[in-house]
Amino acid sequence: MLRNYIKIAFRNLIKNKVYSFINIAGLAVGMAVAMLIGLWIIDELSANKHHKNFETLYQVKMHQTFDGHRGTQDALPYPMGEELRAKYPDFRAVAMSDWGGGHSLVIGNQKFNKVGHFLDKEGIDMFSLNVLKGDKKPLKEPYSIVLTDEFAQILFGQQNPIGKVLKMDNQVDLKVTAVVEKQPKNASYQFDYLMPWHLQEKINPDIQFNTWGNNSFQVFVQLKGNVNPENTIAQIKNVVLSHFKGDKLMENSVKPAVFIHPMAKWRLYNEFTDGINTGGFIKYVRLFGIFGLIVLVIACINFMNLSTARSEKRAKEVGVRKAMGSGREQLIGQFLSESLLISFVALFFAIGIVELALPSFNKLTEKAITLQVSNPFFWGVMIAFTVFTGLLAGSYPALYLSSFNPVRVLKGTIRVGKSASLPRQVLVVLQFTFSIALMIGTIIIYQQIQYGKNRPIGYDNKGLISVFSSNDLMKNYGILQNELMASGAISSMCKTSSPPYTTWSNNRGWEWKGARPEDKSVIFSTIATSYDYAKTIGIKLKAGRDFSTEFSTDSSGVILNEAAVKRMGLKNPVGELLKWDGRDLKVIGVVPNMQMDSPFQAVMPLTVVFSKTWVNCICLRINPNISASEAIKKMTPIFDKYNPGFPFDYQFTDEEYAKKFNYIELIGNLSLVIAFLAIFISCLGLFGLASFMAEQRTKEIGVRKVLGASVLNITTLLSRDFLKLVIISIVIASPIAYYIMQQWLQDYEYKISIGAGVFLMVMIVAIAIALLTVSYQAIKAALANPVKSLRTE
């Protein structure tokens, strides 16, 4: 019986080539989109699950209240690790880590600046890092280093790296004691190398590590198997506050509360609002999961529509089969087998599309996804997915066609007219509603991106580069500046505590005229800098002046941005005295609100203080009279001369600022691709329906032409019904899309207002697309010779 079903299904495919092609093409594209999105979702959901201790690993975080707002942070004080390890038995292991940064590693003539971490030795087992070579319990020796296999290959090729020595930051020699497997791309904790945690104390003796007021480090913990995390949170909640007894500001205003956040939520549930976990990237995982399902449903609707539209062609077949004794169950099996055959044919085309699209898709999503075609589990999932698609696509046609009355069919009294076309019209409206809603959403996302890009950033980021600092650069800063200026490569330079495209330090404790005691909890972004800061960054001051060598008192000066002036309530800020960290500081200038963090959020109040030592970065303004490439060429030998232990790595500020849009552009690009494919599949179905309707009304068109109807009359007649459906879709999709996008925009403080222009534009585009799709078949039918269609009458 099954063999017979497949044989008949195959014959029907061959007999109706055009409709078979439309069905297979639509399903293949829909399945390919669903597969790509499915692979992306699986990659997101499987993040960090390669860790053996996935279920018991946590990151320590802390809630604090600043200026009435409850914030959540990962940054914690240096002594936290020892405190948790010594006083709280719930933890199987505790590992401190820095945030990871680029340290120079030199071997021979090779210089590398890769991302590495200082990590407690317990971190190796906690993160279940796979040690491939060397000491199975590394990071015990104070001057040692652990490399990933990928980085070891770059450094040493096929040589055994164990025991080799690298010079780090031109300061200390580190011996390679182990090689570990590179972390997957979707792992949260990424690195190229690891160094012993306490090594940073030895190479940075001037830093006060053992203070509870410096929140600059990460803490990871592993709970014992039988421990309830909620009980642990209750125990450690006040671990920081206990070290500030008697500090009324901390006790009454800041109120730090420590808690642990499970590894299962690190990637997708990392957003907190007023101390409550409100989700995170998971909302986009869900959103694109819905998008993938929608595209698949749109493709299945094509199959349903074309199958039911051609039902009159197969009515006699159904009648004969029923008259010969076939039951409805057998007929349903026949039609479902046809849809399953089409689905499996579409599957192989879909896999081909996915294979071709994966390189571009990985580049778009910054992933390393592959098709596991040699994995039996992959094929099991694909078969289940295809069967689901086939049953979904074929269910309605099977139930509909098998319901025909054999007596009426064989008498020829059954006609599939307006009542039968209503379900098809509903399905077409559903298709275009989804597609139009996706189009509206994509345009609004694009407008939001452009709105952020067009926002004034408050400084000139063109021709501005930054270089991370080192002891050699600071020691030779004066000579370096003189030679760079003499070379003609730059027009100015300065030292700062963070590059221009971000701020690395936030501080509280500022006092000003009229401030209340609780105002000391207000958080200000803080940048430490040297002379010529505003000149180098390209800032046009709103009031006052920049730090300058002409004024000996600038070491006690401070520059505020407009947001800081507003928060302090200063009417004439220049000359006002502030107090911070036990020092009196005089406001010497006001700068505009510079976009150094998210371009879609409000600008933080900023204080710029003068310092010759608290610096991590050198900013350079390229000479506008020469090209950037020529300037870099001139700078390279000078940096190599005065910073011999480091490669000359630099960042263009405009390029780094542009990366702030990567996240939202990823969402926009994925939405654009999905919207385009949804429209394509919908139009494919519309084309098939228009073709069938033109074929069905051939004689009617012939009669109308004989009676004098023009090509325009007939084209309008055939197109009108479809355009009505598209307009209905627009009416339904517009409020739905408006509501969804309004909710999406709530995540952004700096956002667009959704105007009527978006909906008008989408309406015009949707109608134009529908007209182009339908008009080909309509015009073709209108131009046909009526003699051919009427000669049999």
Side-chain angles (χ1 to χ4, degrees):
M1 183 65 74
L2 181 61
R3 181 181 175 186
N4 187 49
Y5 286 165
I6 295 172
K7 186 185 293 184
I8 294 172
F10 185 74
R11 286 173 179 172
N12 276 317
L13 282 181
I14 301 300
K15 183 179 178 181
N16 303 291
K17 295 182 179 65
V18 173
Y19 298 103
S20 297
F21 170 78
I22 291 173
N23 273 334
I24 291 171
L27 274 180
V29 173
M31 291 171 75
V33 172
M35 286 166 63
L36 284 170
I37 292 175
L39 289 169
W40 179 76
I41 289 174
I42 289 169
D43 187 80
E44 290 292 339
L45 294 178
S46 63
N48 297 318
K49 288 187 177 178
H50 64 286
H51 293 291
K52 293 178 183 177
N53 303 317
F54 175 78
E55 299 292 341
T56 55
L57 276 179
Y58 295 77
Q59 182 170 14
V60 183
K61 292 176 177 277
M62 180 168 60
H63 302 307
Q64 294 193 90
T65 302
F66 298 110
D67 202 16
H69 299 286
R70 194 72 165 160
T72 304
Q73 64 191 58
D74 303 335
L76 294 163
Y78 190 92
M80 177 71 79
E82 288 298 330
E83 181 100 351
L84 296 180
R85 192 178 290 117
K87 296 183 179 181
Y88 298 92
D90 285 1
F91 302 118
R92 184 184 302 277
V94 178
M96 295 289 296
S97 173
D98 69 343
W99 289 94
H103 293 274
S104 170
L105 294 173
V106 178
I107 182 166
N109 295 323
Q110 297 184 89
K111 302 176 185 177
F112 297 91
N113 199 343
K114 294 283 188 177
V115 175
H117 292 276
F118 291 101
L119 179 67
D120 264 327
K121 60 185 178 181
E122 294 175 69
I124 298 291
D125 287 333
M126 277 179 57
F127 287 113
S128 55
L129 301 180
N130 184 16
V131 180
L132 303 175
K133 294 179 182 178
D135 189 351
K136 298 297 180 182
K137 303 285 183 181
L139 298 180
K140 297 191 298 291
E141 298 180 31
Y143 293 96
S144 62
I145 188 169
V146 174
L147 307 177
T148 64
D149 52 344
E150 183 180 277
F151 190 34
Q153 175 74 22
I154 293 171
L155 287 171
F156 303 106
Q158 300 302 316
Q159 296 181 49
N160 185 358
I162 304 303
K164 302 288 185 182
V165 176
L166 302 170
K167 183 171 284 293
M168 191 268 287
D169 289 351
N170 207 29
Q171 287 182 275
V172 293
D173 291 333
L174 303 178
K175 184 174 72 173
V176 179
T177 56
V179 173
V180 298
E181 187 176 1
K182 175 75 173 175
Q183 291 288 283
K185 200 163 185 176
N186 63 353
S188 295
Y189 196 75
Q190 293 284 352
F191 59 90
D192 294 299
Y193 57 90
L194 299 170
M195 297 173 291
W197 174 244
H198 293 291
L199 174 62
Q200 56 190 321
E201 296 179 22
K202 299 179 183 297
I203 63 176
N204 298 302
D206 297 331
I207 297 178
Q208 295 181 347
F209 286 101
N210 292 313
T211 172
W212 285 89
N214 179 13
N215 296 316
S216 301
F217 308 95
Q218 296 186 92
V219 186
F220 301 100
V221 296
Q222 182 184 355
L223 290 183
K224 292 178 180 176
N226 58 347
V227 170
N228 184 337
E230 296 302 321
N231 293 339
T232 304
I233 291 173
Q235 292 174 33
I236 68 172
K237 178 180 178 181
N238 295 320
V239 66
V240 171
L241 187 59
S242 65
H243 291 272
F244 291 91
K245 289 181 179 177
D247 188 327
K248 298 301 181 186
L249 180 66
M250 291 292 286
E251 292 177 348
N252 300 327
S253 296
V254 179
K255 295 181 285 190
V258 177
F259 68 103
I260 53 176
H261 191 57
M263 178 178 266
K265 294 186 175 182
W266 287 4
R267 186 176 182 88
L268 301 178
Y269 297 86
N270 60 349
E271 290 183 4
F272 290 81
T273 303
D274 292 326
I276 299 172
N277 190 195
T278 53
F281 198 71
I282 186 64
K283 61 189 171 187
Y284 292 109
V285 172
R286 291 169 180 158
L287 179 65
F288 284 107
I290 293 170
F291 282 177
L293 184 59
I294 285 173
V295 173
L296 187 61
V297 168
I298 289 172
C300 291
I301 286 173
N302 277 356
F303 185 94
M304 294 178 188
N305 273 344
L306 289 175
S307 297
T308 55
R310 296 185 62 78
S311 57
E312 192 171 344
K313 298 277 187 180
R314 303 193 67 179
K316 285 187 172 61
E317 176 191 342
V318 173
V320 170
R321 284 178 174 274
K322 282 194 170 184
M324 297 293 290
S326 292
R328 191 177 182 189
E329 296 80 7
Q330 291 174 307
L331 290 170
I332 289 173
Q334 169 64 53
F335 293 122
L336 285 179
S337 66
E338 289 185 19
S339 67
L340 286 171
L341 175 62
I342 290 174
S343 296
F344 275 100
V345 173
L347 170 66
F348 288 99
F349 283 106
I351 290 174
I353 293 170
V354 169
E355 195 67 56
L356 291 173
L358 263 179
S360 298
F361 185 77
N362 280 333
K363 185 177 180 181
L364 176 66
T365 58
E366 298 180 352
K367 296 282 188 183
I369 299 168
T370 58
L371 273 178
Q372 304 292 328
V373 290
S374 60
N375 188 341
F377 177 75
F378 168 81
W379 287 108
V381 171
M382 285 298 98
I383 290 170
F385 169 67
T386 306
V387 170
F388 167 78
T389 304
L391 293 177
L392 179 65
S395 56
Y396 177 67
L399 294 172
Y400 177 73
L401 292 172
S402 64
S403 67
F404 288 169
N405 187 310
V407 175
R408 294 181 62 195
V409 167
L410 294 176
K411 281 184 176 181
T413 57
I414 190 169
R415 287 291 180 268
V416 185
K418 291 184 177 179
S419 61
S421 67
L422 181 61
R424 291 199 296 275
Q425 292 173 349
V426 171
L427 291 173
V428 169
V429 168
L430 188 62
Q431 271 187 320
F432 273 89
T433 297
F434 286 146
S435 301
I436 290 166
L438 286 171
M439 287 173 64
I440 293 170
T442 301
I443 292 172
I444 291 172
I445 292 172
Y446 174 78
Q447 288 181 333
Q448 175 68 1
I449 293 170
Q450 294 307 117
Y451 191 63
K453 286 185 174 180
N454 294 333
R455 185 180 184 183
I457 63 172
Y459 64 100
D460 181 11
N461 65 4
K462 307 294 183 186
L464 180 63
I465 66 171
S466 55
V467 178
F468 293 124
S469 185
S470 71
N471 289 338
D472 288 338
L473 284 178
M474 290 301 100
K475 183 173 63 178
N476 298 310
Y477 182 79
I479 305 172
L480 177 75
Q481 184 178 30
N482 291 336
E483 291 202 20
L484 287 171
M485 292 293 292
S487 72
I490 66 169
S491 57
S492 65
M493 65 184 285
C494 68
K495 296 181 284 187
T496 71
S497 58
S498 61
Y501 48 85
T502 189
T503 51
W504 283 345
S505 180
N506 296 307
N507 291 279
R508 58 182 175 82
W510 287 87
E511 299 177 68
W512 57 88
K513 184 174 66 177
R516 301 163 298 172
E518 57 266 30
D519 285 336
K520 292 182 72 175
S521 71
V522 178
I523 287 290
F524 289 83
S525 295
T526 304
I527 294 176
T529 186
S530 62
Y531 300 114
D532 296 329
Y533 175 73
K535 178 183 177 182
T536 302
I537 304 300
I539 304 169
K540 293 181 180 179
L541 276 79
K542 293 288 185 178
R545 61 175 178 82
D546 193 5
F547 295 112
S548 172
T549 55
E550 298 177 13
F551 299 88
S552 59
T553 58
D554 275 4
S555 59
S556 60
V558 61
I559 297 172
L560 306 177
N561 72 348
E562 293 173 292
V565 171
K566 182 180 179 180
R567 180 61 189 83
M568 293 178 178
L570 304 177
K571 294 183 178 179
N572 298 298
V574 177
E576 289 281 358
L577 287 177
L578 311 179
K579 180 170 284 190
W580 178 61
D581 197 26
R583 300 166 56 202
D584 290 326
L585 300 175
K586 184 178 181 180
V587 178
I588 65 169
V590 177
V591 296
N593 287 335
M594 297 179 287
Q595 303 298 328
M596 292 183 164
D597 295 301
S598 171
F600 300 106
Q601 303 299 333
V603 175
M604 286 273 291
L606 173 70
T607 55
V608 183
V609 298
F610 185 88
S611 176
K612 292 183 178 180
T613 57
W614 179 19
V615 288
N616 301 301
C617 177
I618 295 176
C619 297
L620 305 106
R621 170 69 57 184
I622 292 175
N623 187 340
N625 298 319
I626 64 174
S627 67
S629 58
E630 186 180 351
I632 296 298
K633 189 176 180 180
K634 288 176 178 286
M635 283 189 264
T636 301
I638 299 173
F639 272 93
D640 288 343
K641 178 180 177 181
Y642 294 109
N643 198 31
F646 289 76
F648 180 42
D649 285 340
Y650 51 87
Q651 292 81 38
F652 281 93
T653 301
D654 55 346
E655 293 178 358
E656 295 300 316
Y657 183 79
K659 291 178 182 177
K660 296 179 184 292
F661 296 90
N662 285 358
Y663 179 78
I664 188 173
E665 283 182 334
L666 165 63
I667 304 304
N669 290 335
L670 281 174
S671 299
L672 176 63
V673 171
I674 292 169
F676 171 79
L677 291 173
I679 284 288
F680 170 76
I681 295 169
S682 298
C683 289
L684 206 59
L686 202 62
F687 180 86
L689 277 177
S691 173
F692 176 74
M693 294 303 290
E695 178 187 332
Q696 196 178 41
R697 300 176 71 175
T698 301
K699 288 184 174 61
E700 177 192 345
I701 293 167
V703 171
R704 287 181 180 273
K705 289 196 72 175
V706 169
L707 293 176
S710 66
V711 172
L712 180 61
N713 293 146
I714 293 171
T715 302
T716 304
L717 173 72
L718 294 176
S719 303
R720 185 173 55 203
D721 291 340
F722 290 109
L723 288 182
K724 284 180 184 177
L725 300 179
V726 174
I727 291 170
I728 292 171
S729 299
I730 294 168
V731 172
I732 296 172
S734 295
I736 295 172
Y738 177 83
Y739 174 78
I740 292 172
M741 296 314 296
Q742 275 287 83
Q743 297 303 307
W744 178 73
L745 286 171
Q746 295 308 309
D747 290 340
Y748 302 97
E749 292 182 54
Y750 190 82
K751 59 195 174 194
I752 62 169
S753 297
I754 301 175
V758 176
F759 303 97
L760 182 62
M761 179 170 64
V762 170
M763 181 179 72
I764 293 170
V765 171
I767 290 174
I769 290 172
L771 270 176
L772 286 171
T773 304
V774 174
S775 60
Y776 171 78
Q777 291 294 347
I779 293 170
K780 181 182 176 183
L783 291 175
N785 188 341
V787 174
K788 292 183 178 179
S789 60
L790 298 176
R791 65 174 55 174
T792 59
E793 298 296 323

